Amino acid sequence: NNTTAPEETKTEEAASNEATTPENTENTETEEGSEETAETEVKTIAGEELDKIQEDNDEKEKYLVIDTRKADDYKEGHVKHAITLPADELADRIDDLADFKDKNVVVYGETAEEAEEAYKTLVDNGFTNVQSAGGYADFDYTTKTKVTSVPGPEFIELANTGDYTIIDVRDEKDYNKGHLAGAINVPVDQAESLIETLPQDKPFLTHCYSGNKSFKVADMLAEQGHEVINALDGTKEYDGYDLSEK
């Protein structure tokens, strides 16, 4: 009897040691690491692809692009149709983006790391289709512009302040049916000649039906050094326009 007891003890100890061998510990740590990696995986979009989307008037309607760099950097040039929402303000202003939770959202920042942090903030707050385009300087965008873009509700808030000259880029017949108070009609095919006649004492707000024609006029004004804000959502996309003035 005395000769078998040590063997049983040894067997139990061996089993115990086997369960905690460095190899098993390493496997456990690897599994935990894999889980952490999966939780923080960031979906990306190439700058080239984002550039193509923003140049396509139909495709760009399916995306909200957010520039998380500082506001001053945004003003110096950014991706066409991108809105400005600095990284240090994103969490506090997340409710402003509530309508986009289930839509395509692309973020880019000063660096890829900044964009990834913004990505995680959006995903953690319930956004379901987010992609990171990395750092702004990582790709040479052909769609660079100095035109500020804002959603429809923000555009109307700005228009109501009286601090801007409002440019309505819709066709003359639609402008004559009704327009925003004080708006000046500049159809896109007459823009080059009419821009020279516009008052210069205030920054400009531009809008049209869907933001495309008005962006062209806005870009002309921006190229001349004017501060200009274009509505991403035109009169066919947002019902907050009071077009009662004739």
Side-chain angles (χ1 to χ4, degrees):
N1 291 339
N2 291 338
T3 57
T4 58
E7 290 182 4
E8 291 176 357
T9 302
K10 183 177 180 180
T11 302
E12 292 171 0
E13 290 175 353
S16 176
N17 289 338
E18 188 176 303
T20 58
T21 58
E23 183 179 349
N24 289 338
T25 303
E26 185 179 339
N27 289 339
T28 302
E29 290 175 351
T30 301
E31 289 171 3
E32 290 174 352
S34 298
E35 290 176 2
E36 289 176 2
T37 301
E39 289 175 1
T40 57
E41 181 182 356
V42 175
K43 295 179 182 178
T44 61
I45 182 172
E48 183 178 8
E49 184 177 352
L50 177 58
D51 218 21
K52 289 179 181 178
I53 289 170
Q54 296 305 84
E55 284 286 21
D56 188 314
N57 288 340
D58 293 324
E59 280 300 303
K60 68 93 173 171
E61 295 292 338
K62 303 173 185 177
Y63 290 80
L64 173 69
V65 181
I66 304 174
D67 184 325
T68 66
R69 297 176 301 153
K70 294 178 181 178
D72 287 344
D73 293 330
Y74 174 88
K75 287 180 180 179
E76 289 302 313
H78 51 270
V79 174
K80 183 179 179 181
H81 303 307
I83 67 169
T84 176
L85 187 47
D88 58 0
E89 299 177 21
L90 180 57
D92 292 335
R93 293 175 56 190
I94 204 76
D95 289 344
D96 295 347
L97 306 174
D99 291 343
F100 296 93
K101 279 195 171 183
D102 295 316
K103 298 181 180 179
N104 297 311
V105 178
V106 176
V107 293
Y108 67 84
E110 182 67 30
T111 63
E113 290 75 18
E114 180 179 281
E116 288 178 5
E117 286 303 314
Y119 174 99
K120 292 171 186 175
T121 297
L122 291 167
V123 170
D124 288 345
N125 281 275
F127 288 75
T128 58
N129 298 304
V130 187
Q131 293 175 291
S132 169
Y136 177 68
D138 293 345
F139 181 75
D140 187 15
Y141 289 95
T142 64
T143 55
K144 290 178 182 177
T145 183
K146 290 187 178 181
V147 176
T148 295
S149 291
V150 296
E154 186 175 347
F155 181 87
I156 295 302
E157 286 181 13
L158 294 172
N160 290 336
T161 65
D163 296 333
Y164 298 85
T165 296
I166 304 171
I167 307 300
D168 186 332
V169 188
R170 296 177 303 152
D171 296 339
E172 185 177 3
K173 60 181 177 58
D174 291 321
Y175 172 85
N176 289 336
K177 290 177 182 177
H179 52 266
L180 292 174
I184 301 171
N185 187 214
V186 180
V188 69
D189 57 352
Q190 302 175 44
E192 288 189 12
S193 59
L194 291 179
I195 278 178
E196 303 303 322
T197 68
L198 296 174
Q200 308 287 312
D201 58 328
K202 297 179 183 179
F204 294 97
L205 294 177
T206 57
H207 82 87
C208 61
Y209 306 102
S210 62
N212 294 323
K213 290 181 178 180
S214 56
F215 177 83
K216 291 181 180 179
V217 175
D219 205 38
M220 292 180 192
L221 289 166
E223 287 293 325
Q224 293 183 9
H226 297 290
E227 179 184 346
V228 56
I229 300 172
N230 185 52
L232 287 175
D233 308 306
T235 56
K236 289 185 176 180
E237 301 167 322
Y238 176 59
D239 60 8
Y241 288 84
D242 179 1
L243 304 178
S244 59
E245 184 159 312
K246 297 181 181 180

